[in-house]
């Protein structure tokens, strides 16, 4: 291995290690054609306004049109987002993302009448509509809309809220640009004397170093950058909190927490019980950390001592292909089809963008869509055993998306 290791620029990454976005669009040019189609279709909402209560057929026509718009919008938005996530410094990708967000805001403004109009339909009339054969495939979607009756405003107010869509995402965008593009940590010398660029991805590798001085240096170097930009991070976080509180208050929720849980119909008590369980079991965690301290022969234990394996001679190097084989073998009880599809997705079908590069979004995620492959972003480090678990986690999300898209209609 080279004595100095730095992150590669995106254009230097091996193609086989990147995701293949062709199932969304084969190129930015193809995206552009679809984007113009979306822009042309936005005014199509007008013909439905004020007419949704007249007939089941008319209501269905509006719902079908709206679903077609959502479906096209999903592909456009996911492509732009993934192009941006692979390199936050790519100005062309940022332009795609910004243009999509603007068009999506315009579409939301044009569609803002739908929910208020549906909720203005009397309960008796709604029961009649829900029992009509034309709306058989839309019954669940409509029932979900009805749940929002206490939190839906009038047509004009909904239009105003929709107009704020792009602006409300500014705090997230600022955080991402700062966190994934602008922070720089320099080089850290590992336990073998190699100078390696410190990054979001390599940070966990340093925390797995058997040499405590390496872990300590990396930890303090990493968080020093956050400390140096703490006012900017705090401002972005405050804007995010204020946004959530504003929308919760505007829509009549008791709190931003209630608003966040409402879409999934999760009771507040479930959330509270999870928090209580953590606090109740903290003594067990403290006991484990003290055991770790004693086994590692440390006077005291710090955050940077909590990742390295207690057994220093444990095998930790897991190349990508080995990680895939391990994950797929563990999932054999879920059947041949599940394992075959997942193995292909993680290898030749290139669902996953595997390794870190300069400007790449930190962490990991799975992004499923209805019409394309369920893509996975990783910042995989072979020396970090926990990244094998992360791959299994994201693979589970992706296979859920893969099966759902094949067994459910888009509106569900």
């Amino acid at each position: 291995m080279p004595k100095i290791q730095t992150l590669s620029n995106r254009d230097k990454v091996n193609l086989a290690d990147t995701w293949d976005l062709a199932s969304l669009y084969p190129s930015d040019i193809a995206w552009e054609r679809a984007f113009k189609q979306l822009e042309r279709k936005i005014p199509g909402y007008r013909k439905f306004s004020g007419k949704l209560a007249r007939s089941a057929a008319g209501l269905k026509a509006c719902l079908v049109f709206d679903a077609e718009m959502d479906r096209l919008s999903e592909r456009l938005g996911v492509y732009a987002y993934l192009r941006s996530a692979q390199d936050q410094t790519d100005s062309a990708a940022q332009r795609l993302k910004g243009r999509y967000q603007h068009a999506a805001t315009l579409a939301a403004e044009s569609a803002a009448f739908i929910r208020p109009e549906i909720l203005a339909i009397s309960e008796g009339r709604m029961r009649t509509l829900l029992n009509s054969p034309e709306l058989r495939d839309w019954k669940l979607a409509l029932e979900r809309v009805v749940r929002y009756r206490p939190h839906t405003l009038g047509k004009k107010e909904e239009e105003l809220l929709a107009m704020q869509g792009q602006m409300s995402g500014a705090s997230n965008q600022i955080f991402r640009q700062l966190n994934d593009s602008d922070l720089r940590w320099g080089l850290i010398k590992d336990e073998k004397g190699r100078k390696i660029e410190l990054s979001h991805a390599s940070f966990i590798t340093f925390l797995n170093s058997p040499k405590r001085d390496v872990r300590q240096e990396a930890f303090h170097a990493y968080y020093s950058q956050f400390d140096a930009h703490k006012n900017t991070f705090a401002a972005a976080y405050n804007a995010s909190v204020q946004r959530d509180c504003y929308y919760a208050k505007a829509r009549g929720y008791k709190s931003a927490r209630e608003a966040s849980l409402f879409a999934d119909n999760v009771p507040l008590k479930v959330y509270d019980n999870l928090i209580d369980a953590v606090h109740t079991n903290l003594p067990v965690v403290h006991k484990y950390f003290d055991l770790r301290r004693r086994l590692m022969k440390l006077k005291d234990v710090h955050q940077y001592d909590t990742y390295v394996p207690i057994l220093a001679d444990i095998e930790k190097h897991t190349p990508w292909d080995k990680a895939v084989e391990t994950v797929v073998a563990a999932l054999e009880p879920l059947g041949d089809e599940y394992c075959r599809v997942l193995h292909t997705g993680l290898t030749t079908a290139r669902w996953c963008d595997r390794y870190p590069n300069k400007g790449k979004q930190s962490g990991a995620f799975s992004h499923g869509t209805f019409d394309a492959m369920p893509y996975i972003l990783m910042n995989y480090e072979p020396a970090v055993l926990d990244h094998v678990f992360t791959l299994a986690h994201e693979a589970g999300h992706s296979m859920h998306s893969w099966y759902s898209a094949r067994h459910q209609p888009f509106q569900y």
Side-chain angles (χ1 to χ4, degrees):
M1 296 180 70
K3 290 186 177 180
I4 298 180
Q5 297 177 41
T6 59
L7 288 174
S8 300
N9 290 326
R10 181 68 185 184
D11 59 2
K12 301 299 182 183
V13 178
N14 183 2
L15 188 66
D17 295 330
T18 65
W19 45 31
D20 179 7
L21 300 182
S23 69
L24 287 164
Y25 297 103
S27 66
D28 288 1
I29 295 173
W31 184 93
E32 193 72 46
R33 287 195 295 267
F35 180 75
K36 290 178 179 177
Q37 181 186 0
L38 178 74
E39 288 184 312
R40 288 194 299 269
K41 287 170 71 74
I42 291 175
Y45 279 107
R46 293 175 191 154
K47 62 180 178 285
F48 302 107
S49 181
K51 305 173 184 176
L52 300 189
R54 292 182 182 179
S55 68
L59 178 54
K60 177 182 178 180
C62 179
L63 294 173
V64 169
F65 178 82
D66 187 50
E68 289 172 350
M69 288 289 288
D70 280 348
R71 195 165 171 177
L72 175 58
S73 182
E74 179 185 76
R75 292 187 71 171
L76 288 163
V78 171
Y79 180 87
Y81 174 68
L82 297 183
R83 285 271 284 105
S84 172
Q86 69 190 30
D87 184 0
Q88 303 269 3
T89 65
D90 184 342
S91 58
Q94 292 297 334
R95 279 195 299 273
L96 293 182
K97 185 177 174 183
R99 290 172 63 209
Y100 165 74
Q101 288 173 336
H102 177 67
T105 299
L106 294 178
E109 291 174 34
S110 298
F113 70 90
I114 295 177
R115 184 172 288 179
E117 273 199 39
I118 291 175
L119 295 180
I121 299 172
S122 68
E123 292 186 16
R125 176 62 176 156
M126 179 58 74
R127 279 196 299 270
T128 301
L129 291 171
L130 289 175
N131 290 325
S132 65
E134 292 95 333
L135 292 170
R136 182 182 299 112
D137 294 336
W138 296 86
K139 185 175 182 180
L140 177 59
L142 285 168
E143 288 174 344
R144 287 173 172 170
V145 170
V146 172
R147 277 193 68 236
Y148 281 87
R149 190 183 298 277
H151 307 294
T152 300
L153 309 179
K155 180 176 180 290
K156 191 61 181 177
E157 290 84 357
E158 288 292 336
E159 286 180 2
L160 287 172
L161 290 181
M163 288 170 62
Q164 300 167 14
Q166 195 168 3
M167 179 179 65
S168 71
S171 58
N172 291 20
Q173 181 71 6
I174 292 167
F175 167 76
R176 278 291 160 208
Q177 291 295 105
L178 177 59
N179 189 57
D180 298 326
S181 302
D182 294 341
L183 297 188
R184 292 289 184 270
W185 291 277
L187 300 172
I188 299 289
K189 189 178 293 186
D190 71 1
E191 66 277 2
K192 296 180 180 178
R194 299 171 300 195
K195 290 184 177 179
I196 301 175
E197 184 176 0
L198 180 60
S199 65
H200 291 300
S202 65
F203 178 54
I204 191 68
T205 303
F206 284 115
L207 294 186
N208 275 263
S209 172
K211 191 172 180 181
R212 198 184 197 204
D213 289 347
V214 172
R215 302 196 301 269
Q216 184 179 31
E217 182 183 0
F219 181 88
H220 288 294
Y222 184 77
Y223 283 106
S224 68
Q225 281 293 296
F226 290 95
D227 185 61
H229 297 83
K230 60 187 176 185
N231 294 315
T232 305
F233 278 114
Y237 179 59
N238 179 62
S240 177
V241 171
Q242 295 299 328
R243 175 199 62 201
D244 293 344
C245 292
Y246 167 77
Y247 282 116
K249 186 176 182 180
R251 294 197 173 279
Y253 293 99
K254 294 178 181 178
S255 66
R257 183 175 58 142
E258 182 186 60
S260 180
L261 296 172
F262 186 84
D264 291 316
N265 205 11
V266 176
L268 289 175
K269 191 66 176 176
V270 173
Y271 182 93
D272 293 336
N273 285 344
L274 287 170
I275 302 299
D276 289 342
V278 170
H279 284 282
T280 300
N281 290 282
L282 277 177
V284 179
V285 180
H286 297 157
K287 185 176 180 181
Y288 161 72
F289 282 139
D290 188 58
L291 173 65
R292 169 179 279 273
R293 178 191 64 77
R294 287 183 281 116
L295 289 174
M296 294 175 68
K297 297 180 172 57
L298 300 175
K299 182 179 179 181
D300 48 19
V301 65
H302 286 269
Q303 181 69 26
Y304 50 77
D305 297 318
T306 60
Y307 292 88
V308 60
I310 297 175
L311 303 176
D313 58 348
I314 191 172
E315 174 60 46
K316 294 181 293 180
H317 190 81
T318 312
W320 178 263
D321 289 343
K322 176 63 175 175
V324 172
E325 296 298 333
T326 301
V327 170
V328 172
L331 294 169
E332 285 181 359
L334 296 182
D336 293 338
E337 180 187 60
Y338 191 105
C339 292
R340 174 176 47 79
V341 171
L342 179 58
H343 188 273
T344 302
L346 295 178
T347 54
T348 56
R350 291 170 53 201
W351 291 2
C352 189
D353 206 85
R354 303 176 186 177
Y355 303 114
N357 57 255
K358 285 183 179 177
K360 186 174 179 180
Q361 183 170 315
S362 57
F365 63 71
S366 168
H367 210 314
T369 66
F370 193 77
D371 292 304
M373 296 298 100
Y375 292 103
I376 298 172
L377 179 138
M378 290 282 294
N379 283 278
Y380 188 77
E381 292 283 356
V384 182
L385 182 61
D386 192 53
H387 283 195
V388 181
F389 292 93
T390 301
L391 176 60
H393 175 103
E394 302 303 345
H397 286 306
S398 287
M399 288 306 297
H400 175 219
S401 297
W402 190 88
Y403 275 106
S404 295
R406 282 154 182 77
H407 294 278
Q408 296 288 339
F410 176 79
Q411 63 266 28
Y412 291 170

